[in-house]
Amino acid sequence: MKFFVLILATLILVEPAFARDLVDAASSAQSFFNRIGIAAISIGVTLGGILFAMGAAQIGRMLLFSGFIGAIAILGAPALIGLLGRIFGAAL
């Protein structure tokens, strides 16, 4: 009974979220995460290059390759999502 009253009160008192608000929030979050990812790519590639040049070749190589793989994943993900949206007809 308490659970039913809680759900009813929540449905009555909570302001509804419209679809355009959710789309704007998702778009903003995606662009924010892309900016963080691009910064992480540049930091990883730079540190990898510095370590490689200083003689720590194994660690530098790992960071460089990780940075390149991260760049492919981060920069290619929005294009892949857009392609899937066009294939399956979603308005992404």
Side-chain angles (χ1 to χ4, degrees):
M1 182 67 183
K2 291 179 186 179
F3 187 68
F4 178 72
V5 171
L6 181 65
I7 290 176
L8 186 63
T10 303
L11 290 175
I12 292 172
L13 298 175
V14 172
E15 189 173 326
F18 297 108
R20 69 176 182 274
D21 296 336
L22 296 175
V23 170
D24 289 340
S27 176
S28 175
Q30 183 180 6
S31 68
F32 184 69
F33 284 132
N34 280 342
R35 278 189 253 150
I36 291 172
I38 290 170
I41 290 168
S42 63
I43 290 169
V45 169
T46 303
L47 285 177
I50 290 170
L51 287 173
F52 199 81
M54 289 177 51
Q58 186 65 31
I59 298 172
R61 189 179 306 124
M62 285 188 332
L63 277 174
L64 279 171
F65 284 126
S66 297
F68 290 137
I69 292 170
I72 291 169
I74 290 170
L75 300 174
L80 182 63
I81 291 171
L83 176 67
L84 290 174
R86 287 192 195 117
I87 290 172
F88 295 109
L92 296 175

